[in-house]
Amino acid sequence: MWALGDYPAIAAEITLPLAPVLVDACRVGSGQRVLDVAAGTGNAALEAARRGAVATASDLTPRLLDSGREHAADAVRWVEADAEDLPFDDGEFDVVMSAIGVMFAPHHDRSSAELVRVCRPGGTIGVLSWTPAGFVGQMFAALKPYAAPPPPGASPAPLWGDPAHVAALFGDRVRLGEAQERSLRVDRFDGPAAFREYFKANYGPTIAVYRRIGDDPEAVAALDAALDELYLRNVAADGSTDWGYLVWTGTRV
């Protein structure tokens, strides 16, 4: 799904400002061993590397890693890996983080356990995730009636944006450091149609849903209308939208 469309464009044009937010929250410093899980094109890993960290970016989608590698092959170690089964040693990293990435691994208990496992005791775990009530959470709610059924045992991705859910996932294995809701201001769209068509062309989850209902014009029209309404419901007078996210950090016990 994440190889559909052009997610690297979204990472460069919309979500890039999230990388320094997460790296700041994790207090990444020079010489630290940092792992960016479900890294996509590696925005957060590259930001960590710019601060002197020894950074690794892992992701399940080779096309996204290739995009990151094209721009910064030597700055980061690029590893194809499943967030639910990471190919790293126990305690290998000082900081384990994920920016709007690990939230999309379907089995939250498995992926959270892997974040803990590969982080050394006393190290930092940090996740940045879209919130259920925020703009992207609302978008996934709009897509849900038309999407394929999730895998058995899967949990909704936006739950990673609920502080209580994240705290329950990590339990007593991680001591809470910060849980703060913030928002990303997006001002690149000049109306609902521009927003809708951009995501229909570039965002894998949206593309997958539209392909699934492509033979049903009524469903396509209904989803078009739902995405337009989502935009209009959230747009400010200046044409911008605020996309809510949660930054959660903790210390591995």
Side-chain angles (χ1 to χ4, degrees):
M1 179 176 68
W2 293 103
L4 299 175
D6 191 357
Y7 187 78
I10 294 175
E13 297 167 2
I14 297 178
T15 63
L16 182 61
L18 298 177
V21 172
L22 181 58
V23 172
D24 284 343
C26 291
R27 296 180 172 85
V28 171
S30 181
Q32 286 186 313
R33 301 165 299 165
V34 176
L35 173 64
D36 182 8
V37 177
T41 57
N43 284 347
L46 290 165
E47 180 66 25
R50 280 191 283 270
R51 303 188 189 196
V54 180
T56 298
S58 69
D59 198 275
L60 189 62
T61 306
R63 180 182 171 188
L64 300 185
L65 293 177
D66 289 344
S67 178
R69 191 182 290 113
E70 286 176 7
H71 295 94
D74 299 328
V76 169
R77 178 173 58 141
W78 305 90
V79 179
E80 184 179 343
D82 185 345
E84 296 182 3
D85 186 20
L86 295 170
F88 306 113
D89 293 335
D90 295 358
E92 184 172 338
F93 299 94
D94 302 304
V95 177
V96 179
M97 61 183 183
S98 182
I100 54 171
V102 74
M103 65 181 293
F104 293 106
H107 304 101
H108 297 185
D109 54 342
R110 297 180 194 172
S111 54
S112 60
E114 283 294 271
L115 297 184
V116 173
R117 182 184 66 79
V118 301
C119 185
R120 67 166 175 81
T124 298
I125 295 175
V127 289
L128 188 155
S129 310
W130 302 123
T131 59
F135 186 90
V136 178
Q138 293 176 51
M139 182 171 68
F140 275 95
L143 295 173
K144 183 177 179 179
Y146 308 95
S155 297
L159 281 179
W160 272 94
D162 177 350
H165 179 73
V166 181
L169 284 175
F170 289 118
D172 59 7
R173 299 172 297 177
V174 179
R175 184 172 65 253
L176 174 63
E178 177 187 41
Q180 185 177 3
E181 291 193 24
R182 304 183 187 180
S183 64
L184 172 69
R185 192 173 204 185
V186 178
D187 60 3
R188 66 169 289 112
F189 304 114
D190 60 7
F195 156 72
R196 170 181 18 99
E197 294 306 313
Y198 183 89
F199 271 78
K200 287 174 71 171
N202 295 305
Y203 194 52
T206 312
I207 294 168
V209 171
Y210 273 99
R211 285 188 178 181
R212 184 172 186 267
I213 64 174
D215 294 332
D216 185 344
E218 290 186 1
V220 170
L223 182 51
D224 282 350
L227 293 178
D228 288 355
E229 196 276 331
L230 161 69
Y231 178 88
L232 293 171
R233 187 170 66 243
N234 287 275
V235 69
D238 65 358
S240 67
T241 50
D242 288 330
W243 298 16
Y245 63 87
L246 173 74
V247 182
W248 195 103
T249 60
T251 302
R252 165 80 153 89
V253 175

Short mmCIF file of all heavy atoms in Angstrom, two decimals, residues 186-247:
data_model
loop_
_atom_site.label_atom_id
_atom_site.label_comp_id
_atom_site.label_asym_id
_atom_site.label_seq_id
_atom_site.Cartn_x
_atom_site.Cartn_y
_atom_site.Cartn_z
N VAL A 186 -1.11 22.98 7.86
CA VAL A 186 -0.94 22.67 6.44
C VAL A 186 -1.71 23.71 5.64
O VAL A 186 -2.92 23.87 5.80
CB VAL A 186 -1.47 21.25 6.13
CG1 VAL A 186 -1.33 20.95 4.64
CG2 VAL A 186 -0.73 20.21 6.97
N ASP A 187 -1.00 24.41 4.76
CA ASP A 187 -1.62 25.49 4.00
C ASP A 187 -1.37 25.39 2.50
O ASP A 187 -1.41 26.39 1.78
CB ASP A 187 -1.16 26.84 4.52
CG ASP A 187 0.34 27.04 4.41
OD1 ASP A 187 1.02 26.14 3.88
OD2 ASP A 187 0.83 28.10 4.87
N ARG A 188 -1.15 24.18 1.99
CA ARG A 188 -0.79 24.04 0.58
C ARG A 188 -2.01 23.84 -0.33
O ARG A 188 -1.89 23.83 -1.56
CB ARG A 188 0.19 22.89 0.38
CG ARG A 188 -0.34 21.52 0.68
CD ARG A 188 0.62 20.42 0.17
NE ARG A 188 0.63 20.35 -1.28
CZ ARG A 188 1.66 20.68 -2.04
NH1 ARG A 188 2.78 21.13 -1.50
NH2 ARG A 188 1.59 20.58 -3.35
N PHE A 189 -3.22 23.64 0.23
CA PHE A 189 -4.38 23.35 -0.61
C PHE A 189 -5.30 24.58 -0.71
O PHE A 189 -5.58 25.23 0.29
CB PHE A 189 -5.16 22.16 -0.04
CG PHE A 189 -4.31 20.93 0.14
CD1 PHE A 189 -4.05 20.43 1.41
CD2 PHE A 189 -3.76 20.30 -0.95
CE1 PHE A 189 -3.26 19.31 1.57
CE2 PHE A 189 -2.97 19.17 -0.81
CZ PHE A 189 -2.71 18.68 0.46
N ASP A 190 -5.79 24.86 -1.93
CA ASP A 190 -6.62 26.04 -2.13
C ASP A 190 -8.11 25.71 -2.13
O ASP A 190 -8.94 26.54 -2.52
CB ASP A 190 -6.24 26.78 -3.40
CG ASP A 190 -6.38 25.92 -4.65
OD1 ASP A 190 -6.92 24.79 -4.55
OD2 ASP A 190 -5.98 26.40 -5.73
N GLY A 191 -8.46 24.51 -1.69
CA GLY A 191 -9.87 24.14 -1.60
C GLY A 191 -10.02 22.64 -1.43
O GLY A 191 -9.05 21.89 -1.50
N PRO A 192 -11.25 22.17 -1.20
CA PRO A 192 -11.47 20.74 -0.95
C PRO A 192 -11.08 19.85 -2.12
O PRO A 192 -10.55 18.75 -1.93
CB PRO A 192 -12.97 20.66 -0.65
CG PRO A 192 -13.55 21.91 -1.21
CD PRO A 192 -12.48 22.96 -1.09
N ALA A 193 -11.33 20.31 -3.34
CA ALA A 193 -10.98 19.49 -4.50
C ALA A 193 -9.48 19.30 -4.62
O ALA A 193 -9.00 18.19 -4.93
CB ALA A 193 -11.54 20.11 -5.78
N ALA A 194 -8.71 20.34 -4.35
CA ALA A 194 -7.25 20.23 -4.41
C ALA A 194 -6.74 19.25 -3.37
O ALA A 194 -5.85 18.43 -3.65
CB ALA A 194 -6.62 21.61 -4.21
N PHE A 195 -7.28 19.33 -2.15
CA PHE A 195 -6.90 18.39 -1.10
C PHE A 195 -7.25 16.96 -1.51
O PHE A 195 -6.41 16.04 -1.44
CB PHE A 195 -7.61 18.75 0.21
CG PHE A 195 -7.76 17.60 1.16
CD1 PHE A 195 -6.66 17.10 1.84
CD2 PHE A 195 -9.00 17.00 1.36
CE1 PHE A 195 -6.78 16.01 2.69
CE2 PHE A 195 -9.13 15.93 2.22
CZ PHE A 195 -8.03 15.43 2.89
N ARG A 196 -8.49 16.77 -1.95
CA ARG A 196 -8.95 15.42 -2.29
C ARG A 196 -8.12 14.81 -3.40
O ARG A 196 -7.65 13.66 -3.30
CB ARG A 196 -10.42 15.48 -2.70
CG ARG A 196 -10.91 14.17 -3.29
CD ARG A 196 -12.36 14.18 -3.74
NE ARG A 196 -12.98 15.45 -3.95
CZ ARG A 196 -13.11 16.03 -5.15
NH1 ARG A 196 -12.61 15.46 -6.24
NH2 ARG A 196 -13.74 17.19 -5.27
N GLU A 197 -7.88 15.56 -4.47
CA GLU A 197 -7.16 15.00 -5.61
C GLU A 197 -5.69 14.75 -5.28
O GLU A 197 -5.08 13.80 -5.80
CB GLU A 197 -7.31 15.92 -6.82
CG GLU A 197 -8.73 16.00 -7.35
CD GLU A 197 -9.31 14.63 -7.67
OE1 GLU A 197 -8.61 13.82 -8.32
OE2 GLU A 197 -10.46 14.36 -7.27
N TYR A 198 -5.11 15.58 -4.42
CA TYR A 198 -3.72 15.35 -4.01
C TYR A 198 -3.61 14.01 -3.29
O TYR A 198 -2.68 13.22 -3.56
CB TYR A 198 -3.27 16.49 -3.09
CG TYR A 198 -1.83 16.41 -2.64
CD1 TYR A 198 -0.81 16.98 -3.38
CD2 TYR A 198 -1.48 15.77 -1.45
CE1 TYR A 198 0.51 16.92 -2.97
CE2 TYR A 198 -0.17 15.70 -1.02
CZ TYR A 198 0.83 16.27 -1.78
OH TYR A 198 2.13 16.19 -1.35
N PHE A 199 -4.53 13.74 -2.38
CA PHE A 199 -4.46 12.49 -1.64
C PHE A 199 -4.89 11.29 -2.47
O PHE A 199 -4.37 10.18 -2.28
CB PHE A 199 -5.26 12.60 -0.34
CG PHE A 199 -4.42 13.14 0.79
CD1 PHE A 199 -4.14 14.50 0.88
CD2 PHE A 199 -3.84 12.29 1.72
CE1 PHE A 199 -3.33 15.00 1.87
CE2 PHE A 199 -3.02 12.78 2.72
CZ PHE A 199 -2.77 14.14 2.81
N LYS A 200 -5.75 11.48 -3.42
CA LYS A 200 -6.11 10.39 -4.33
C LYS A 200 -4.94 10.03 -5.24
O LYS A 200 -4.82 8.88 -5.68
CB LYS A 200 -7.32 10.80 -5.18
CG LYS A 200 -8.63 10.81 -4.41
CD LYS A 200 -9.79 11.36 -5.23
CE LYS A 200 -10.23 10.44 -6.31
NZ LYS A 200 -11.49 10.89 -6.96
N ALA A 201 -4.06 10.99 -5.51
CA ALA A 201 -2.92 10.74 -6.40
C ALA A 201 -1.69 10.26 -5.66
O ALA A 201 -0.88 9.51 -6.23
CB ALA A 201 -2.58 12.01 -7.17
N ASN A 202 -1.52 10.65 -4.38
CA ASN A 202 -0.23 10.45 -3.71
C ASN A 202 -0.24 9.54 -2.49
O ASN A 202 0.80 8.96 -2.18
CB ASN A 202 0.32 11.82 -3.28
CG ASN A 202 0.66 12.70 -4.45
OD1 ASN A 202 1.43 12.32 -5.33
ND2 ASN A 202 0.08 13.88 -4.49
N TYR A 203 -1.35 9.44 -1.78
CA TYR A 203 -1.34 8.77 -0.47
C TYR A 203 -1.82 7.33 -0.60
O TYR A 203 -2.97 7.08 -0.99
CB TYR A 203 -2.25 9.55 0.48
CG TYR A 203 -2.09 9.19 1.94
CD1 TYR A 203 -0.84 9.18 2.56
CD2 TYR A 203 -3.20 8.86 2.71
CE1 TYR A 203 -0.71 8.88 3.90
CE2 TYR A 203 -3.08 8.56 4.06
CZ TYR A 203 -1.83 8.56 4.65
OH TYR A 203 -1.70 8.26 5.99
N GLY A 204 -0.96 6.38 -0.27
CA GLY A 204 -1.25 4.97 -0.46
C GLY A 204 -2.58 4.49 0.10
O GLY A 204 -3.34 3.81 -0.61
N PRO A 205 -2.91 4.80 1.36
CA PRO A 205 -4.19 4.33 1.90
C PRO A 205 -5.40 4.85 1.11
O PRO A 205 -6.37 4.11 0.89
CB PRO A 205 -4.19 4.87 3.33
CG PRO A 205 -2.74 4.95 3.69
CD PRO A 205 -2.07 5.38 2.42
N THR A 206 -5.34 6.10 0.68
CA THR A 206 -6.45 6.67 -0.09
C THR A 206 -6.54 6.00 -1.46
O THR A 206 -7.63 5.65 -1.93
CB THR A 206 -6.26 8.18 -0.26
OG1 THR A 206 -5.95 8.76 1.01
CG2 THR A 206 -7.51 8.83 -0.81
N ILE A 207 -5.40 5.82 -2.10
CA ILE A 207 -5.37 5.18 -3.41
C ILE A 207 -5.93 3.76 -3.32
O ILE A 207 -6.73 3.34 -4.17
CB ILE A 207 -3.93 5.15 -3.96
CG1 ILE A 207 -3.45 6.57 -4.24
CG2 ILE A 207 -3.86 4.31 -5.24
CD1 ILE A 207 -1.96 6.65 -4.52
N ALA A 208 -5.54 3.01 -2.27
CA ALA A 208 -6.01 1.63 -2.13
C ALA A 208 -7.53 1.57 -1.99
O ALA A 208 -8.20 0.70 -2.57
CB ALA A 208 -5.34 0.99 -0.92
N VAL A 209 -8.10 2.50 -1.24
CA VAL A 209 -9.55 2.51 -1.05
C VAL A 209 -10.26 2.84 -2.37
O VAL A 209 -11.24 2.18 -2.75
CB VAL A 209 -9.94 3.50 0.07
CG1 VAL A 209 -11.46 3.67 0.11
CG2 VAL A 209 -9.44 3.00 1.41
N TYR A 210 -9.78 3.85 -3.07
CA TYR A 210 -10.43 4.21 -4.33
C TYR A 210 -10.30 3.10 -5.37
O TYR A 210 -11.23 2.89 -6.18
CB TYR A 210 -9.86 5.52 -4.87
CG TYR A 210 -10.57 6.74 -4.33
CD1 TYR A 210 -10.04 7.47 -3.27
CD2 TYR A 210 -11.78 7.17 -4.87
CE1 TYR A 210 -10.69 8.60 -2.77
CE2 TYR A 210 -12.44 8.28 -4.38
CZ TYR A 210 -11.90 9.00 -3.32
OH TYR A 210 -12.56 10.10 -2.84
N ARG A 211 -9.20 2.38 -5.36
CA ARG A 211 -9.09 1.25 -6.29
C ARG A 211 -10.11 0.18 -5.95
O ARG A 211 -10.69 -0.46 -6.85
CB ARG A 211 -7.67 0.67 -6.23
CG ARG A 211 -6.63 1.51 -6.92
CD ARG A 211 -5.29 0.81 -6.99
NE ARG A 211 -4.30 1.60 -7.71
CZ ARG A 211 -3.04 1.20 -7.93
NH1 ARG A 211 -2.63 0.03 -7.48
NH2 ARG A 211 -2.21 1.99 -8.59
N ARG A 212 -10.34 -0.01 -4.67
CA ARG A 212 -11.29 -1.05 -4.23
C ARG A 212 -12.71 -0.74 -4.68
O ARG A 212 -13.48 -1.66 -4.99
CB ARG A 212 -11.22 -1.20 -2.71
CG ARG A 212 -12.09 -2.31 -2.14
CD ARG A 212 -11.82 -2.51 -0.66
NE ARG A 212 -12.55 -3.65 -0.16
CZ ARG A 212 -13.77 -3.58 0.40
NH1 ARG A 212 -14.35 -2.38 0.53
NH2 ARG A 212 -14.37 -4.66 0.83
N ILE A 213 -13.09 0.53 -4.70
CA ILE A 213 -14.46 0.91 -5.05
C ILE A 213 -14.57 1.48 -6.46
O ILE A 213 -15.58 2.06 -6.83
CB ILE A 213 -15.02 1.92 -4.02
CG1 ILE A 213 -14.22 3.23 -4.05
CG2 ILE A 213 -15.03 1.31 -2.62
CD1 ILE A 213 -14.80 4.33 -3.17
N GLY A 214 -13.52 1.30 -7.24
CA GLY A 214 -13.46 1.94 -8.56
C GLY A 214 -14.60 1.56 -9.50
O GLY A 214 -14.94 2.34 -10.40
N ASP A 215 -15.18 0.39 -9.31
CA ASP A 215 -16.28 -0.04 -10.18
C ASP A 215 -17.65 0.37 -9.65
O ASP A 215 -18.67 -0.06 -10.19
CB ASP A 215 -16.24 -1.57 -10.36
CG ASP A 215 -15.00 -2.03 -11.12
OD1 ASP A 215 -14.50 -1.24 -11.93
OD2 ASP A 215 -14.55 -3.16 -10.87
N ASP A 216 -17.66 1.17 -8.60
CA ASP A 216 -18.92 1.59 -7.97
C ASP A 216 -18.97 3.12 -7.97
O ASP A 216 -18.51 3.77 -7.03
CB ASP A 216 -18.99 1.05 -6.54
CG ASP A 216 -20.32 1.33 -5.87
OD1 ASP A 216 -21.08 2.19 -6.36
OD2 ASP A 216 -20.60 0.70 -4.82
N PRO A 217 -19.51 3.72 -9.04
CA PRO A 217 -19.51 5.19 -9.13
C PRO A 217 -20.20 5.87 -7.96
O PRO A 217 -19.78 6.96 -7.55
CB PRO A 217 -20.26 5.45 -10.45
CG PRO A 217 -20.13 4.19 -11.23
CD PRO A 217 -20.11 3.08 -10.22
N GLU A 218 -21.23 5.27 -7.42
CA GLU A 218 -21.93 5.88 -6.29
C GLU A 218 -21.03 5.93 -5.06
O GLU A 218 -21.01 6.93 -4.33
CB GLU A 218 -23.22 5.12 -5.98
CG GLU A 218 -24.29 5.28 -7.04
CD GLU A 218 -25.59 4.62 -6.64
OE1 GLU A 218 -25.66 4.06 -5.52
OE2 GLU A 218 -26.55 4.67 -7.44
N ALA A 219 -20.28 4.87 -4.82
CA ALA A 219 -19.36 4.85 -3.68
C ALA A 219 -18.24 5.87 -3.87
O ALA A 219 -17.85 6.57 -2.92
CB ALA A 219 -18.78 3.45 -3.48
N VAL A 220 -17.73 5.96 -5.09
CA VAL A 220 -16.68 6.94 -5.38
C VAL A 220 -17.19 8.35 -5.12
O VAL A 220 -16.52 9.17 -4.47
CB VAL A 220 -16.18 6.79 -6.83
CG1 VAL A 220 -15.26 7.97 -7.20
CG2 VAL A 220 -15.44 5.47 -7.00
N ALA A 221 -18.39 8.64 -5.59
CA ALA A 221 -18.97 9.97 -5.39
C ALA A 221 -19.20 10.25 -3.91
O ALA A 221 -18.97 11.37 -3.43
CB ALA A 221 -20.27 10.09 -6.16
N ALA A 222 -19.63 9.23 -3.16
CA ALA A 222 -19.88 9.41 -1.73
C ALA A 222 -18.58 9.67 -0.98
O ALA A 222 -18.53 10.52 -0.08
CB ALA A 222 -20.59 8.18 -1.17
N LEU A 223 -17.52 8.96 -1.35
CA LEU A 223 -16.24 9.18 -0.69
C LEU A 223 -15.65 10.53 -1.07
O LEU A 223 -15.09 11.23 -0.22
CB LEU A 223 -15.27 8.05 -1.03
CG LEU A 223 -13.89 8.13 -0.35
CD1 LEU A 223 -14.00 8.31 1.16
CD2 LEU A 223 -13.05 6.90 -0.69
N ASP A 224 -15.78 10.91 -2.33
CA ASP A 224 -15.37 12.26 -2.74
C ASP A 224 -16.05 13.31 -1.85
O ASP A 224 -15.41 14.23 -1.35
CB ASP A 224 -15.74 12.52 -4.20
CG ASP A 224 -14.80 11.89 -5.20
OD1 ASP A 224 -13.73 11.38 -4.77
OD2 ASP A 224 -15.12 11.90 -6.39
N ALA A 225 -17.34 13.16 -1.67
CA ALA A 225 -18.10 14.12 -0.88
C ALA A 225 -17.66 14.10 0.58
O ALA A 225 -17.59 15.16 1.23
CB ALA A 225 -19.60 13.82 -0.98
N ALA A 226 -17.36 12.92 1.11
CA ALA A 226 -16.93 12.81 2.50
C ALA A 226 -15.58 13.50 2.71
O ALA A 226 -15.38 14.18 3.73
CB ALA A 226 -16.84 11.34 2.91
N LEU A 227 -14.65 13.37 1.76
CA LEU A 227 -13.36 14.03 1.89
C LEU A 227 -13.49 15.54 1.71
O LEU A 227 -12.81 16.31 2.40
CB LEU A 227 -12.38 13.46 0.87
CG LEU A 227 -11.97 12.00 1.10
CD1 LEU A 227 -11.03 11.52 0.00
CD2 LEU A 227 -11.31 11.81 2.46
N ASP A 228 -14.36 15.97 0.81
CA ASP A 228 -14.60 17.41 0.67
C ASP A 228 -15.17 17.98 1.97
O ASP A 228 -14.75 19.05 2.43
CB ASP A 228 -15.58 17.67 -0.47
CG ASP A 228 -14.97 17.42 -1.85
OD1 ASP A 228 -13.76 17.12 -1.92
OD2 ASP A 228 -15.71 17.51 -2.85
N GLU A 229 -16.11 17.27 2.56
CA GLU A 229 -16.73 17.74 3.80
C GLU A 229 -15.72 17.77 4.94
O GLU A 229 -15.74 18.69 5.76
CB GLU A 229 -17.91 16.84 4.16
CG GLU A 229 -18.85 17.42 5.18
CD GLU A 229 -18.39 17.20 6.61
OE1 GLU A 229 -17.69 16.20 6.85
OE2 GLU A 229 -18.72 18.03 7.48
N LEU A 230 -14.83 16.78 4.97
CA LEU A 230 -13.76 16.76 5.98
C LEU A 230 -12.92 18.03 5.88
O LEU A 230 -12.65 18.69 6.89
CB LEU A 230 -12.88 15.53 5.75
CG LEU A 230 -11.48 15.55 6.37
CD1 LEU A 230 -11.57 15.48 7.90
CD2 LEU A 230 -10.63 14.41 5.83
N TYR A 231 -12.52 18.37 4.68
CA TYR A 231 -11.71 19.57 4.49
C TYR A 231 -12.47 20.83 4.90
O TYR A 231 -11.95 21.67 5.65
CB TYR A 231 -11.27 19.67 3.02
CG TYR A 231 -10.46 20.91 2.72
CD1 TYR A 231 -9.08 20.92 2.87
CD2 TYR A 231 -11.09 22.08 2.28
CE1 TYR A 231 -8.34 22.06 2.59
CE2 TYR A 231 -10.36 23.22 2.01
CZ TYR A 231 -8.97 23.21 2.17
OH TYR A 231 -8.26 24.34 1.91
N LEU A 232 -13.70 20.96 4.45
CA LEU A 232 -14.48 22.16 4.75
C LEU A 232 -14.78 22.28 6.24
O LEU A 232 -14.88 23.39 6.77
CB LEU A 232 -15.78 22.14 3.94
CG LEU A 232 -15.59 22.28 2.42
CD1 LEU A 232 -16.90 22.01 1.70
CD2 LEU A 232 -15.04 23.66 2.08
N ARG A 233 -14.92 21.16 6.90
CA ARG A 233 -15.20 21.16 8.34
C ARG A 233 -14.00 21.66 9.14
O ARG A 233 -14.15 22.18 10.24
CB ARG A 233 -15.57 19.74 8.77
CG ARG A 233 -16.04 19.61 10.20
CD ARG A 233 -16.61 18.23 10.48
NE ARG A 233 -15.64 17.16 10.41
CZ ARG A 233 -15.67 16.16 9.53
NH1 ARG A 233 -16.62 16.09 8.62
NH2 ARG A 233 -14.74 15.22 9.53
N ASN A 234 -12.81 21.49 8.59
CA ASN A 234 -11.59 21.80 9.33
C ASN A 234 -10.84 23.04 8.85
O ASN A 234 -9.92 23.50 9.55
CB ASN A 234 -10.63 20.60 9.28
CG ASN A 234 -11.09 19.45 10.14
OD1 ASN A 234 -10.83 19.39 11.34
ND2 ASN A 234 -11.79 18.49 9.54
N VAL A 235 -11.18 23.57 7.69
CA VAL A 235 -10.39 24.65 7.13
C VAL A 235 -10.63 25.95 7.89
O VAL A 235 -11.75 26.27 8.30
CB VAL A 235 -10.69 24.82 5.62
CG1 VAL A 235 -12.11 25.36 5.40
CG2 VAL A 235 -9.66 25.70 4.95
N ALA A 236 -9.56 26.70 8.10
CA ALA A 236 -9.64 27.99 8.75
C ALA A 236 -9.88 29.09 7.72
O ALA A 236 -9.83 28.86 6.51
CB ALA A 236 -8.34 28.27 9.51
N ALA A 237 -10.13 30.29 8.21
CA ALA A 237 -10.43 31.42 7.31
C ALA A 237 -9.29 31.71 6.35
O ALA A 237 -9.52 32.18 5.23
CB ALA A 237 -10.76 32.66 8.14
N ASP A 238 -8.05 31.42 6.78
CA ASP A 238 -6.90 31.69 5.91
C ASP A 238 -6.60 30.53 4.96
O ASP A 238 -5.59 30.56 4.24
CB ASP A 238 -5.66 32.02 6.74
CG ASP A 238 -5.19 30.86 7.61
OD1 ASP A 238 -5.83 29.78 7.60
OD2 ASP A 238 -4.16 31.04 8.31
N GLY A 239 -7.44 29.50 4.94
CA GLY A 239 -7.25 28.39 4.04
C GLY A 239 -6.37 27.27 4.57
O GLY A 239 -6.13 26.28 3.87
N SER A 240 -5.92 27.36 5.80
CA SER A 240 -5.06 26.33 6.38
C SER A 240 -5.89 25.31 7.16
O SER A 240 -7.04 25.58 7.55
CB SER A 240 -4.02 26.95 7.30
OG SER A 240 -4.64 27.52 8.45
N THR A 241 -5.31 24.16 7.39
CA THR A 241 -5.90 23.15 8.26
C THR A 241 -4.85 22.72 9.28
O THR A 241 -3.65 22.69 8.98
CB THR A 241 -6.38 21.92 7.46
OG1 THR A 241 -5.32 21.45 6.60
CG2 THR A 241 -7.59 22.24 6.62
N ASP A 242 -5.30 22.40 10.48
CA ASP A 242 -4.41 21.93 11.54
C ASP A 242 -4.60 20.43 11.72
O ASP A 242 -5.72 19.96 11.95
CB ASP A 242 -4.70 22.66 12.85
CG ASP A 242 -4.23 24.10 12.83
OD1 ASP A 242 -3.25 24.39 12.13
OD2 ASP A 242 -4.85 24.94 13.51
N TRP A 243 -3.50 19.69 11.61
CA TRP A 243 -3.53 18.23 11.69
C TRP A 243 -2.99 17.81 13.05
O TRP A 243 -1.79 17.92 13.31
CB TRP A 243 -2.69 17.62 10.57
CG TRP A 243 -3.18 17.96 9.18
CD1 TRP A 243 -4.07 18.94 8.82
CD2 TRP A 243 -2.80 17.31 7.96
NE1 TRP A 243 -4.26 18.95 7.47
CE2 TRP A 243 -3.50 17.97 6.91
CE3 TRP A 243 -1.95 16.26 7.66
CZ2 TRP A 243 -3.36 17.58 5.58
CZ3 TRP A 243 -1.80 15.88 6.34
CH2 TRP A 243 -2.50 16.53 5.31
N GLY A 244 -3.87 17.34 13.92
CA GLY A 244 -3.48 17.02 15.29
C GLY A 244 -2.63 15.76 15.40
O GLY A 244 -2.89 14.76 14.73
N TYR A 245 -1.63 15.82 16.26
CA TYR A 245 -0.78 14.65 16.51
C TYR A 245 -0.37 14.61 17.98
O TYR A 245 -0.44 15.62 18.69
CB TYR A 245 0.45 14.63 15.60
CG TYR A 245 1.42 15.79 15.77
CD1 TYR A 245 2.44 15.75 16.72
CD2 TYR A 245 1.32 16.94 14.98
CE1 TYR A 245 3.34 16.79 16.86
CE2 TYR A 245 2.20 17.99 15.12
CZ TYR A 245 3.21 17.91 16.06
OH TYR A 245 4.10 18.96 16.21
N LEU A 246 0.05 13.45 18.41
CA LEU A 246 0.55 13.23 19.77
C LEU A 246 2.04 12.94 19.72
O LEU A 246 2.50 12.12 18.91
CB LEU A 246 -0.17 12.04 20.41
CG LEU A 246 0.35 11.59 21.78
CD1 LEU A 246 -0.07 12.57 22.86
CD2 LEU A 246 -0.12 10.18 22.12
N VAL A 247 2.81 13.61 20.59
CA VAL A 247 4.20 13.27 20.80
C VAL A 247 4.29 12.58 22.17
O VAL A 247 3.91 13.17 23.18
CB VAL A 247 5.11 14.51 20.81
CG1 VAL A 247 6.57 14.11 20.97
CG2 VAL A 247 4.95 15.29 19.53
#
